[in-house]
Amino acid sequence: MAAADSETDEGIQWAAITGVIATVSVFAIAQGLSYPLLSFILQRQGVSPAMIGLSAAMTPVGFILSSPLIPALARRFGAGRTALTCAALSAVVLALIGWTQNVYLWFPLRFLIGVVTNPLYVLSEIWVIALAPPARRGRVMGVYSTIISAGFAAGPLCLLAVGTEGWPPFLVGISAFVLCGVCLASVLPRLPKVDEAGHQVSVLGFVPLAWLLLFAVVVAAGFEQAALALLPVYGTYHGIAEARMSALLSVMIAGNIAMQVPLGLLAERLTARSVRLVCIATTILGCMLLPLLIETPLIWPMIFVWGAVSYGIYTMSIIELGERFTGSTLIAGNAAFSLMWGVGGISMPPLAGSAMDVLGAGGLPITLGLLCLALALASVVGRGKA
């Protein structure tokens, strides 16, 4: 009888994990659709590239400024109610964006979309971490990372079906946020009350508890955003056609999507910290090989592995976060992860771009390589301290 109850509890747990991952996958599709959609619309309106870039930056700014508020919101209103409210507000704000069609009104609205989607993402990730059985946390978080990446990649593909004009693409995004809320509501009774456990910890209070993990998040975010933004520019320095560079970026994203589960399984056999060090070292090696292989056929497997291990730094950090923290400390830690992802994503592309202005094409791999080297040194020096 006890064995049957255990099997039932495990079935409920896996059903809850599946429901939360489904919630996040729909959320990722909506987010992945909105970025290129709004850029296409602004481009048709004759808005300058600089203004389009500033407009897009409002969403990560919303992530950064809302992150410290998430633990308090979860304690005050409950994690479930907060996430459901954010799903509804995300749909409303996206509808307002579709209704206004004005670059200046989009600045505060895109800031708001960052503010209201961030708690939904952070709390969903916390639930997955809390639900994942410790012995299988690596593979669960690997699946989670894969689904997130695939969802973001699928968002732009939706535009191929519905186009970028009028209400249809906005209705797809709005419907996705509504479906996100429905998926979450269906599993809410099965989710752990992570907001009620443990003593209260703020986002800033979490920083000294795991500064190395937070640094790893900055590096992973900065690497991804700088690579996606500047690899096409890097290719032009070497006379590589835009179509080939676009294909290379697709292969890089494919590596990210395909390899997180294998990396998670490896973390179960070894440790997340050990695999993170391997990912960092391999990413540095990729930075060294990029100038040598960019004009050869070997660039294709190299860029696939590069995409896998660079994002693997984040996946391993999330796994270790779940191993070390629970309750309100986990909420604060995950909110801090979101904040640091925004910091890395906003700061690194301009830094790497400036290095390319000064050093030429080599500025990109040099900047990314030095960033990862700093993380590698911090990981060795800080082993056991953070």
Side-chain angles (χ1 to χ4, degrees), residues 11-376:
I12 291 173
Q13 185 177 30
W14 285 109
I17 291 172
T18 302
V20 176
I21 290 180
T23 299
V24 178
S25 67
V26 178
F27 162 82
I29 291 171
Q31 285 287 83
L33 174 146
S34 65
Y35 277 100
L37 170 63
L38 302 186
S39 294
F40 284 135
I41 292 172
L42 291 177
Q43 196 170 31
R44 283 201 301 267
Q45 292 177 355
V47 176
S48 69
M51 185 68 78
I52 293 174
L54 284 173
S55 176
M58 291 299 101
T59 298
V61 170
F63 291 163
I64 291 172
L65 295 183
S66 65
S67 292
L69 306 177
I70 296 174
L73 288 172
R75 287 194 299 268
R76 176 67 178 83
F77 301 105
R81 188 179 300 173
T82 299
L84 284 174
T85 302
C86 286
L89 289 175
S90 298
V92 171
V93 177
L94 187 57
L96 288 173
I97 289 174
W99 180 56
T100 53
Q101 297 282 316
N102 182 287
V103 63
Y104 298 107
L105 291 176
W106 280 8
F107 273 85
L109 289 173
R110 295 186 81 167
F111 170 78
L112 283 176
I113 202 86
V115 170
V116 297
T117 57
N118 193 32
L120 177 62
Y121 170 74
V122 168
L123 293 172
S124 296
E125 192 165 81
I126 290 166
W127 280 315
V128 175
I129 293 171
L131 286 165
R136 300 182 180 180
R137 183 173 283 123
R139 73 192 71 184
V140 170
M141 298 315 299
V143 169
Y144 173 84
S145 295
T146 297
I147 293 293
I148 284 281
S149 299
F152 276 109
L157 296 179
C158 293
L159 298 179
L160 295 177
V162 299
T164 61
E165 297 186 7
W167 274 103
F170 286 99
L171 291 176
V172 171
I174 292 166
S175 300
F177 280 127
V178 172
L179 180 58
C180 180
V182 171
C183 291
L184 182 59
S186 68
V187 297
L188 204 55
R190 303 173 179 177
L191 299 181
K193 305 294 183 183
V194 293
D195 51 296
E196 297 176 1
H199 65 284
Q200 297 180 3
V201 178
S202 68
V203 170
L204 292 180
F206 179 82
V207 172
L209 300 179
W211 61 267
L212 187 56
L213 290 181
L214 297 177
F215 184 26
V217 174
V218 171
V219 171
F223 185 98
E224 179 182 79
Q225 296 302 311
L228 291 176
L230 295 172
L231 266 178
V233 181
Y234 183 87
T236 63
Y237 277 89
H238 290 271
I240 297 174
E242 290 183 7
R244 187 169 188 264
M245 288 309 301
S246 296
L248 280 171
L249 285 176
S250 297
V251 170
M252 185 176 183
I253 294 170
N256 175 345
I257 294 172
M259 294 302 295
Q260 298 314 304
V261 173
L263 288 173
L265 290 170
L266 186 60
E268 291 177 8
R269 296 181 64 87
L270 304 175
T271 65
R273 178 172 292 195
S274 298
V275 178
R276 188 174 73 243
L277 282 170
V278 171
C279 288
I280 296 167
T282 310
T283 304
I284 294 172
L285 179 61
C287 294
M288 297 169 63
L289 292 176
L290 181 64
L292 303 176
L293 302 182
I294 187 64
E295 298 180 41
T296 74
L298 291 176
I299 190 61
W300 299 97
M302 176 255 155
I303 209 83
F304 180 90
V305 173
W306 214 33
V309 295
S310 59
Y311 193 78
I313 295 171
Y314 179 79
T315 301
M316 295 306 110
S317 300
I318 279 287
I319 293 171
E320 189 172 343
L321 179 73
E323 291 172 347
R324 293 173 54 183
F325 302 102
T326 59
S328 61
T329 308
L330 180 60
I331 291 183
N334 214 280
F337 268 39
S338 179
L339 189 153
M340 292 304 169
W341 184 273
V343 169
I346 286 178
S347 61
M348 279 309 299
L351 180 61
S354 299
M356 293 179 76
D357 286 341
V358 175
L359 302 174
L364 179 62
I366 289 172
T367 303
L368 296 180
L370 289 176
L371 179 69
C372 294
L373 181 60
L375 177 59

